[in-house]
Amino acid sequence: MLNAHDRKKKKRKKRRLRDPQRTRNRLLQAAFREVYKYGFQSAGIDTILATTNVTKGAHYHHFESKEALGYAIIEEFIAKLTCDRWMLPLQRNKDKDPIDTLIGIVRAIPHRPRDVKSGCPLVNLAQEMSRLDEQFRKRLERIFHAWQEGIAIALERGQSQGTVRRDLLPKETASFLIAMVEGYEVLAKNSQESKVWNAGIRNIVGWLSSLRAPGNRKRG
């Protein structure tokens, strides 16, 4: 017979198993890790279920297909990752020089060996799935568009504050920054060398510094 402590523990376990939102979150987290490591097409549903101890029935209750699970990864994980890394710092620092904020964001991008090896989850999926699944492509496109818009708005604000060069086209400049960041992440992933990304950071920071308005130049 179970004692009082064990009965309470068993009840808590039952509540966790019956918590649909918790089950859904566990599935998403495990699926994101699997897709990030192996790619969407190679990610195994059985592996995800084994990791989470969730049944197939529970999985298909929350996600009607593997594709639906992939769409949720994009919308709830990858979009949030991009927003947290880029848009939120830009929004929080509205009264500061956007060039300083952008330099800080770039320098803060994880560049440990395991990060370099895995690459950017957004670019990984874009390269793998954009030509294969239109719904993947559209969802990824929305993330890129929001990212570009967030940077462009910050640059426009810097122009009005007199800290960013007036001759710049904010949207085109934002696109170029994204292309540089993602390009260096791909190069670093391919080479499996952190020094490639470190060189990229230096080059991107140097380019960002060149966007400052005359009279607003800073060292470093």
Side-chain angles (χ1 to χ4, degrees), residues 30-95:
F32 173 75
R33 290 192 296 268
E34 182 78 0
V35 170
Y36 188 31
K37 188 173 183 179
Y38 298 110
F40 178 76
Q41 295 175 88
S42 298
I45 293 296
D46 288 341
T47 302
I48 295 168
L49 296 179
T51 302
T52 57
N53 290 321
V54 173
T55 65
K56 279 192 176 182
H59 168 265
Y60 287 110
H61 170 74
H62 293 288
F63 306 102
E64 62 184 15
S65 65
K66 183 180 177 182
E67 287 72 22
L69 179 60
Y71 302 154
I73 290 171
I74 294 171
E75 293 170 343
E76 299 180 39
F77 272 80
I78 297 179
K80 185 178 186 302
L81 176 65
T82 307
C83 181
D84 289 349
R85 183 172 292 170
W86 290 86
M87 276 74 94
L88 288 182
L90 289 170
Q91 292 168 4
R92 291 187 187 122
N93 294 284
K94 285 184 178 181
D95 297 330

Side-chain angles (χ1 to χ4, degrees), residues 132-197:
L132 301 178
D133 187 300
E134 182 65 6
Q135 292 304 313
F136 266 89
R137 189 196 67 76
K138 287 181 177 179
R139 285 169 170 81
L140 294 165
E141 181 183 40
R142 284 197 286 270
I143 297 175
F144 280 116
H145 180 72
W147 187 3
Q148 179 196 31
E149 282 293 309
I151 296 171
I153 289 170
L155 292 173
E156 288 173 354
R157 187 167 60 246
Q159 287 178 323
S160 67
Q161 294 169 345
T163 59
V164 175
R165 282 166 35 197
R166 292 276 188 175
D167 62 310
L168 297 180
L169 298 175
K171 285 190 177 181
E172 292 184 9
T173 304
S175 293
F176 190 61
L177 173 57
I178 292 169
M180 281 197 295
V181 169
E182 298 295 28
Y184 271 115
E185 291 207 83
V186 170
L187 289 174
K189 179 182 177 180
N190 180 256
S191 69
Q192 296 289 283
E193 291 281 356
S194 296
K195 65 182 181 182
V196 174
W197 175 240

Side-chain angles (χ1 to χ4, degrees), residues 20-36:
Q21 188 58 48
R22 185 175 183 275
T23 299
R24 186 179 184 279
N25 290 340
R26 286 166 56 213
L27 281 168
L28 270 177
Q29 290 168 3
F32 173 75
R33 290 192 296 268
E34 182 78 0
V35 170
Y36 188 31

